[in-house]
Amino acid sequence: MNFLLRKIFTSLFEGFAIWRNSKNHSSLMQTLRKRIVFSSVFGALVFLSISYELADIMVISRFRTRVVKKNFIKDEIIKRADIVDRNGELLATSIRTSSCYADPSVVIDADETAAKLSNIQGMPDADKIKQKLADKNKHFVWLLRHVTPKVQETVMNLGLPGIHFQKDYKRIYIQDNLFSHVIGCCNVDGIGVCGLEKEFSNELNKAGNLNKKLVTTFSLQLQTILHEEMKEAIGKYRAVGGNAILMSTKGEILAMISLPDFNPNDLKNSSSDAMFNRNTLAVVEQGSVSKILTVAIALDSGSAALGSVFDASEPIRVGRFSINDFRGKKRRLTLAEAFVFSSNIASAKMAQNFGVEVQKAYMKKFGMLDKVNLEIQEVGKPLIPRHWSEATMMTVSYGYGLAVSPLTLLAAVSSIVNDGIRVKPTLIYGKRQKFLEGEDRVVSSQTSKIARDLMRAVVCFGTARKAAIDGVDIIAKTGTAYKTQGKSYGVDGQRKRVTTLIGGFPKDKPEYMLLVSIDDPKPTPDSFGFATAGYN
C-alpha cells in the first residue's frame, strides 16, 4: 500500500518539474496528462482494494457465516408443539433458550479459546473444545446446548472471536415423572426418543403445527390420584413395583401409572428399569383374572350355562403335574360358584368342554393373541404357546401358558363387559372408534350381562370384597399369578407373585375400567400372613 502511494506522488512531482523546466509547452502538457491518467488509475485501484478488504471483513464474511449457520440448524430452531391432557392442562412444552456454538474458521487461537471456555461451569473440558475447533474448514460446531443466562453472559464478556450464541428451544415436562412412560421424552435436538414424543415427533416439530396441540386422553387429576395410591400401596406391601390403568369403555386411557418411573427432565439419572412401562411391555402370565375370559367362552359357545356343575373335589392330573385350587371347596361347584371362588379345577374342566380350537378362536377375538395397536411403540407382543395342546388349553383357562401385557388383558375384559363390543385402547383424545357389528362383537349381549353379574358376585361374596364401595355397583375379579421365569423365589423362600385386580362400574353399563397390579407384595400384619390379590 505504501509503495503505491509513493509511486503516485513521485509521478506527480516529476510532472510538475518537467512543466517548470520545459521550453516546449505543448510537449509539457502531453507528458503531464499521461502522468495524471497514470496516477488516477493507480489511485482507483488502491481505493477499490481497500474497499473490498473492508467489505469482506465487515459484511461478506459475517453474512457467509450466518448462511452456513442457518442452513446447519434450520430444523433445531423450530418450536415444538405442546402436549396437553383432555382438559387442556399442559404436560409438555418447549421454552426458549440459547445454545453456544463456534465457527472454527475464524477462531484465532484455539488453545486460548478452549482454556478460557473450559473454566466456565457446564462447558466441556479444554481437550474436547480443542477437538471441536481443530477443523478450520468448518463453520459451525456446538459447544454447549441450552446454556443458562449467566453462562451466556460470562462467555460473551470474554469477547472470543468465532464464539456465538443461537436461539434454541428446550423440551420441558411440567409434571416431571407423572406421565413419563406414555408422554416419553426428547433428545437434546428436540427429537422424540420414546412414547408419544417419538410417535408424533414429525407432527410436533412441523413449523405449521406451532399453534396446534397434541391432545391426549389423560386427566391430570386422575393421573395424580392413581399415582399417589399406587405409590402408597407399593410401600405398604413392600413390593418391587406396580402398575395401573384407568380406561373408559370407549377405549380412552384416562390414567396410566408404572412404578418405578423416571423424570424425563433428568434422563442422566434414569435407570433402564425405571423407564420400563409395565402396563404395555410386561408380557407375563396374568393368573386368575383370565378366568373372566374362560367363563365368557363357556357361556357364549354354549358349552356351559350358569347352572352347569363341575366336580372340583379332586385335583386334575396332567402328566407330571396336577391342577389344584388355592383354599378350594373340595366339592362340586356350579359355574357361578366356580367363578366366585376362583376354582382352577373347574376352569380347566370348562375348557375341556369347549376344546382347544374354540378357545384359540375366542382368544383371537378378544385380542389376546395380537399386539395392542396403541399410539406408542413400547408395546409388547403376546407370548403364544408353540403347541396348543389339551394341557396348554387347561393351563390357559386359569391364567397360565399364555403371556400378555396388562393393557392387553384389560382391553379383552373390557370388551366382554362392554355389551360384548371390542374396546380399542387409545391415548389420543377425540379419536372416534368405528364399530362394525360382525367384526367388533366378541360375545353376545347376554353373555356380557352374565359376566358382569358374576363379577359383581365376586365383589359381594368372593375374593374382591375389599373393592366394595357403598352406593357404587363395582364389578371385579382378582388374580394371583406366581412367577415362573427368572428368580421365582425370594430370599425368604416364598414364591414371588404378581397380584392383580380388574374392575369397573357401574355394573349394568360400565363406563370405566381399572386394572391394578402389584409386583411381589409381602404379607402385612393385617393380612394373616397372606399376600394374594384378595388381601392387597
Side-chain angles (χ1 to χ4, degrees), residues 63-74:
F63 177 75
R64 186 188 305 122
T65 301
R66 283 201 301 271
V67 170
V68 172
K69 175 186 71 175
K70 183 178 179 181
N71 289 339
F72 186 83
I73 62 169
K74 60 183 180 181

Side-chain angles (χ1 to χ4, degrees), residues 288-296 306 310 333-344 346-347 350 413 450-459 462-463 476-478 502:
S288 293
V289 283
S290 300
K291 291 172 183 173
I292 302 171
L293 312 183
T294 299
V295 166
L306 271 176
F310 303 91
L333 302 171
T334 63
L335 182 144
E337 289 178 318
F339 185 76
V340 170
F341 300 137
S342 198
S343 170
N344 295 338
S347 295
M350 285 184 212
V413 173
I450 296 174
R452 295 196 301 270
D453 289 340
L454 291 173
M455 291 176 69
R456 177 61 183 164
V458 174
V459 176
T463 56
K477 178 70 179 79
T478 62
I502 292 182

Side-chain angles (χ1 to χ4, degrees), residues 478-494:
T478 62
T480 301
Y482 290 98
K483 295 186 178 183
T484 59
Q485 297 179 348
K487 296 180 179 180
S488 56
Y489 285 85
V491 293
D492 56 359
Q494 297 295 316

Side-chain angles (χ1 to χ4, degrees), residues 251-271:
E252 294 182 340
I253 296 176
L254 305 174
M256 181 184 284
I257 299 295
S258 177
L259 296 175
D261 53 20
F262 67 98
N263 187 346
N265 294 313
D266 185 21
L267 290 178
K268 291 182 179 179
N269 296 315
S270 301
S271 66

